[in-house]
Amino acid sequence: MKLFLQYLFGYTNANIQVGEELTINQLLHVLLINSANEAANVLAEHISGSIESFTTMMNTKAEEIGCLNTHFVNANGVHDENHYSTAYDLAIMGQYAMKNEVFREIVGTTFYTLPATNKYPTNDRVFGTTNELIKKDTSDRVDNYYYEYTTGAKTGYTNAAKNCIVATAKKEDIEYIVVILGASTTENGLSARYLDCKTLFNYAFENYTVKTINEKGSILKKIKIAKANSATKHLNVVVEDEIALLLKRDTDVNSITPNVEISSNLEASIAENTVIGKITYEIDGNTYTSNLLAGGNVVGSNAFNTFLTIVSVLLVLFLLYKLLKSNNNKKNKRKKKKKKKKNSNSYSSKSNYLYW
């Protein structure tokens, strides 16, 4: 990729040269590990043609994934009054980004070296991560920031925003996201954003856990289906997806009551795995939900089908009877008319005869 660069003085850069050819993967590494601002601009222009167009894409994506109070005006976070976000929105972005394996791998990397290129003949551009939570100090000094469960993600700083970080840590198959904004230094001169992250992570791991309430495919209950035969009228209601709740460790699972909604118009026939309802848990402002499925096929009742058949036959017979009766009535009316006419003609002939 041939690069056109606009250097941002006073901000971190990777010393990328005008006309230098680098891969997207290399640019992502220096952007996410070293916070290289010019790499963000190059990627934005490569993807959408301009930084302005790329920021439009960013705003659209932020809204799409659920951000509520975020607005971008550039690709690298350089301060602007109209460039803003919140801790909640940054947590959503962090969660979304960590689902991408390339992003996850890069933000968990501590050091990266750019190779020699067409415009930079040596490989002395070595970059260390700006995230002190993943850098383990091998010296004898006290390591104030390293946190062994850290998996990523990204730091940030401007004069207006101060020290910020979206950090992730995983332990016992539970991964948390912590967002710190506007941090400064402690009285001892230490970076508060890392210390606050460690405190919050420890609190979460010590006090919360994930408990599976419903296994995938588990039977929630049985319900009776109208117009079904005796063999299939009692239907298993099956939970489609596993439901695992983030709970305080001392929470009594049996005290948690879900909201179960079953379709009100269920009747035979029903195919297995048809969605027939929904189950929802509301815990500490979090919503956990799954569809409920029919656990088997529901067949219509033979007695009911027989009843319908009898009714249908009787209806047909009744219609035939009415039709035949109507035809007979018409025939009788025609006969009466003919008879009346004949009688009338006979009388007239006799009268004429007598008169004559």
Side-chain angles (χ1 to χ4, degrees):
M1 181 189 299
K2 293 184 178 180
L3 310 179
F4 173 76
L5 305 178
Q6 178 184 7
Y7 279 101
L8 299 162
F9 295 102
Y11 289 90
T12 305
N13 65 76
N15 195 22
I16 299 173
Q17 306 299 301
V18 175
E20 186 172 7
E21 296 178 2
L22 295 168
T23 67
I24 289 176
N25 188 269
Q26 290 165 347
L27 289 168
L28 286 173
H29 274 78
V30 295
L31 169 63
L32 295 173
I33 294 174
N34 185 56
S35 297
N37 286 271
E38 82 272 42
N41 286 346
V42 169
L43 286 166
E45 291 184 358
H46 172 71
I47 290 170
S48 59
S50 69
I51 294 173
E52 291 75 19
S53 177
F54 186 76
T55 56
T56 298
M57 293 174 60
M58 292 170 67
N59 287 320
T60 300
K61 191 65 177 182
E63 184 176 353
E64 177 186 310
I65 65 176
C67 295
L68 303 176
N69 296 285
T70 292
H71 184 258
F72 299 111
V73 296
N74 57 55
N76 50 24
V78 170
H79 177 71
D80 187 290
E81 290 296 329
N82 293 314
H83 188 101
Y84 54 82
S85 189
T86 64
Y88 175 83
D89 285 3
L90 288 168
I92 290 177
M93 293 181 222
Q95 181 185 46
Y96 181 84
M98 289 296 282
K99 293 177 182 178
N100 183 292
E101 290 302 318
V102 174
F103 179 90
R104 178 180 284 272
E105 181 272 326
I106 294 175
V107 297
T109 302
T110 54
F111 288 94
Y112 181 74
T113 301
L114 271 179
T117 67
N118 63 314
K119 293 292 182 177
Y120 200 98
T122 62
N123 58 358
D124 58 357
R125 289 178 294 182
V126 181
F127 306 101
T129 180
T130 58
N131 184 1
E132 297 290 336
L133 293 171
I134 64 173
K135 288 171 62 176
K136 187 173 183 179
D137 191 351
T138 56
S139 67
D140 294 332
R141 72 179 180 85
V142 175
D143 199 329
N144 294 299
Y145 304 136
Y146 175 72
Y147 190 70
E148 62 180 312
Y149 305 112
T150 305
T151 52
K154 190 68 192 77
T155 61
Y157 175 85
T158 65
N159 290 334
K162 307 294 185 186
N163 290 300
C164 306
I165 188 172
V166 177
T168 58
K170 186 175 182 179
K171 179 182 179 182
E172 298 176 354
D173 294 327
I174 304 174
E175 188 166 43
Y176 292 105
I177 294 177
V178 167
V179 179
I180 304 294
L181 303 178
S184 55
T185 57
T186 66
E187 293 180 354
N188 299 327
L190 298 176
S191 177
R193 66 178 171 184
Y194 300 120
L195 300 180
D196 288 347
C197 281
K198 293 173 71 171
T199 299
L200 289 170
F201 281 135
N202 285 332
Y203 176 82
F205 287 128
E206 290 169 8
N207 292 278
Y208 286 85
T209 189
V210 173
K211 296 184 180 181
T212 299
I213 304 299
N214 297 103
E215 299 283 352
K216 180 178 180 178
S218 61
I219 298 173
L220 183 67
K221 61 178 180 178
K222 285 181 179 287
I223 58 175
K224 189 175 181 180
I225 303 298
K227 302 178 183 178
N229 64 20
S230 58
T232 62
K233 66 181 179 180
H234 293 103
L235 176 66
N236 288 331
V237 178
V238 174
V239 181
E240 181 178 28
D241 302 309
E242 177 185 271
I243 299 180
L245 310 181
L246 179 64
L247 303 169
K248 288 186 176 179
R249 290 187 178 274
D250 59 357
T251 300
D252 179 8
V253 175
N254 296 322
S255 67
I256 302 173
T257 303
N259 178 34
V260 178
E261 301 174 18
I262 303 292
S263 299
S264 59
N265 58 345
L266 292 177
E267 61 181 39
S269 298
I270 300 173
E272 186 176 8
N273 293 327
T274 298
V275 176
I276 60 174
K278 183 171 68 172
I279 182 172
T280 304
Y281 292 85
E282 296 283 349
I283 307 293
D284 295 332
N286 296 315
T287 300
Y288 308 84
T289 187
S290 172
N291 286 329
L292 298 175
L293 308 177
N297 295 310
V298 179
V299 181
S301 169
N302 292 331
F304 182 72
N305 291 337
T306 302
F307 172 75
L308 287 179
T309 302
I310 293 172
V311 170
S312 299
V313 171
L314 290 174
L315 180 61
V316 170
L317 291 175
F318 176 74
L319 291 174
L320 288 173
Y321 167 75
K322 294 291 288 183
L323 182 61
L324 291 172
K325 185 176 180 181
S326 176
N327 288 336
N328 288 334
N329 287 338
K330 288 180 181 180
K331 288 180 179 179
N332 290 333
K333 285 182 179 180
R334 284 196 295 269
K335 286 181 179 180
K336 287 180 180 180
K337 286 182 179 179
K338 287 181 179 180
K339 186 176 181 181
K340 184 176 180 180
K341 185 175 181 180
K342 183 177 181 182
N343 291 337
S344 175
N345 291 336
S346 299
Y347 177 77
S348 298
S349 299
K350 187 176 182 181
S351 298
N352 290 338
Y353 176 76
L354 289 173
Y355 177 79
W356 178 260

